Amino acid sequence: IASAKYYYDKKAHPEKQLPMVFWLPFDDTVPPNYYFMAILNIYALVLTSILATGLISNTSAFSIHIRGQYTMLALQLERSTSASHLHDIIQKHQHLLHFRDKLAAVLANTCLLKAFIYNLTMTLSLYQLSSVKTVNQRAFQLIFQYVVILIMFYSFTTSSEVIDEGNDILYGAIRSYKWYSARHFDRRAAKTFQLLTRMCRKPMRLIYYGGTVDICYHSFLAVLKFSFSLFTILKQSIHAK
């Protein structure tokens, strides 16, 4: 890795600095590097826009919707007065699980890729921030870039936790349900209630690869710790040279 020769204020044409600032071992303001980085900037901006729209907006909206449906099922369970009501609740719960599985399947293809990209970009952003000596436009740009990356990844993990919170609400309603005093609680209702209890005992977070990848707050902190460790190694290796 080259030395810190190509910092922003030491580039050949700092006025040609592209919107997305990267730490690079070469000067990206002179041809042909400038044209290559311009194409990469356009691609990165388009990809970031797509990820921001799909990851933050859609995933969060679907997660909030699922949590709301869980809350409605919990209220319906508290007000159930017949075995048919319990049967309707478990049918709605199965439809909700099917919708949640579809959402998880859509995110499964890019889950590891997103985690890797977040790790890499946060590490590079930390290194860029460590090179800031004065408070200027570049410093604010780097800080904004790092904060946006954190928000995107935190939103992804929060969406997974929101789904699990909804499942906890329904499971709490099941545990507090006074089935022993309900007149309509016959053998059919008991089987239905037992099936619903078993399904709600499982965590509803976005879990992939047999539990290897668990999208939760712990994974968010793990990525932060890993990026800080990688940043420390990167900084020490560069300064050693």
Side-chain angles (χ1 to χ4, degrees), residues 55-99:
L55 187 61
I56 295 179
S57 303
N58 296 340
T59 307
S60 299
F62 288 145
S63 301
I64 294 172
H65 171 73
I66 293 174
R67 187 184 186 280
Q69 292 296 317
Y70 271 116
T71 305
M72 292 175 63
L73 289 179
L75 293 175
Q76 291 178 12
L77 179 62
E78 294 176 358
R79 301 171 183 175
S80 62
T81 57
S82 64
S84 60
H85 286 172
L86 287 176
H87 186 68
D88 292 339
I89 290 172
I90 196 170
Q91 280 189 334
K92 293 178 181 178
H93 184 252
Q94 288 176 342
H95 291 314
L96 188 59
L97 289 180
H98 184 62
F99 179 75

Side-chain angles (χ1 to χ4, degrees), residues 3-225:
S3 61
K5 177 182 178 181
Y6 300 113
Y7 281 160
Y8 180 79
D9 54 346
K10 296 183 179 180
K11 293 183 178 181
H13 303 284
E15 70 279 1
K16 292 185 178 181
Q17 179 62 56
L18 295 166
M20 297 190 69
V21 181
F22 295 98
W23 183 91
L24 299 168
F26 55 84
D27 190 350
D28 60 345
T29 62
V30 296
N33 298 334
Y34 177 77
Y35 303 112
F36 173 76
M37 291 305 300
I39 296 174
L40 183 62
N41 265 250
I42 295 173
Y43 173 76
L45 288 173
V46 172
L47 181 62
T48 302
S49 301
I50 295 174
L51 286 175
T53 303
L55 187 61
I56 295 179
S57 303
N58 296 340
T59 307
S60 299
F62 288 145
S63 301
I64 294 172
H65 171 73
I66 293 174
R67 187 184 186 280
Q69 292 296 317
Y70 271 116
T71 305
M72 292 175 63
L73 289 179
L75 293 175
Q76 291 178 12
L77 179 62
E78 294 176 358
R79 301 171 183 175
S80 62
T81 57
S82 64
S84 60
H85 286 172
L86 287 176
H87 186 68
D88 292 339
I89 290 172
I90 196 170
Q91 280 189 334
K92 293 178 181 178
H93 184 252
Q94 288 176 342
H95 291 314
L96 188 59
L97 289 180
H98 184 62
F99 179 75
R100 180 260 175 202
D101 292 340
K102 280 187 174 182
L103 177 63
V106 170
L107 299 175
N109 297 328
T110 57
C111 181
L112 284 179
L113 178 61
K114 289 172 183 174
F116 172 75
I117 291 175
Y118 286 136
N119 250 317
L120 182 61
T121 51
M122 282 192 288
T123 303
L124 294 177
S125 297
L126 283 173
Y127 185 82
Q128 291 172 341
L129 287 173
S130 67
S131 65
V132 174
K133 304 300 181 182
T134 58
V135 179
N136 50 22
Q137 182 180 357
R138 174 175 175 266
F140 284 111
Q141 183 179 358
L142 292 175
I143 294 173
F144 178 76
Q145 176 180 316
Y146 184 69
V147 171
V148 168
I149 295 171
L150 282 179
I151 291 175
M152 290 179 65
F153 189 45
Y154 182 76
S155 175
F156 185 42
T157 55
T158 302
S159 299
S160 178
E161 291 284 357
V162 165
I163 297 175
D164 197 46
E165 287 176 5
N167 183 69
D168 291 339
I169 292 173
L170 181 57
Y171 187 61
I174 292 173
R175 295 183 62 181
S176 61
Y177 182 66
K178 298 180 180 180
W179 56 269
Y180 48 84
S181 61
R183 296 180 180 179
H184 64 276
F185 210 84
D186 53 8
R187 179 175 293 183
R188 180 190 175 191
K191 291 182 178 180
T192 303
F193 190 74
Q194 185 179 15
L195 179 60
L196 182 63
T197 304
R198 288 181 178 178
M199 289 190 294
C200 290
R201 291 180 64 181
K202 298 179 181 179
M204 289 294 112
R205 295 188 303 274
L206 301 176
I207 302 175
Y208 303 102
Y209 308 106
T212 305
V213 180
D214 187 356
I215 307 300
C216 59
Y217 293 135
H218 293 292
S219 64
F220 174 76
L221 294 176
V223 170
L224 283 182
K225 291 179 181 178

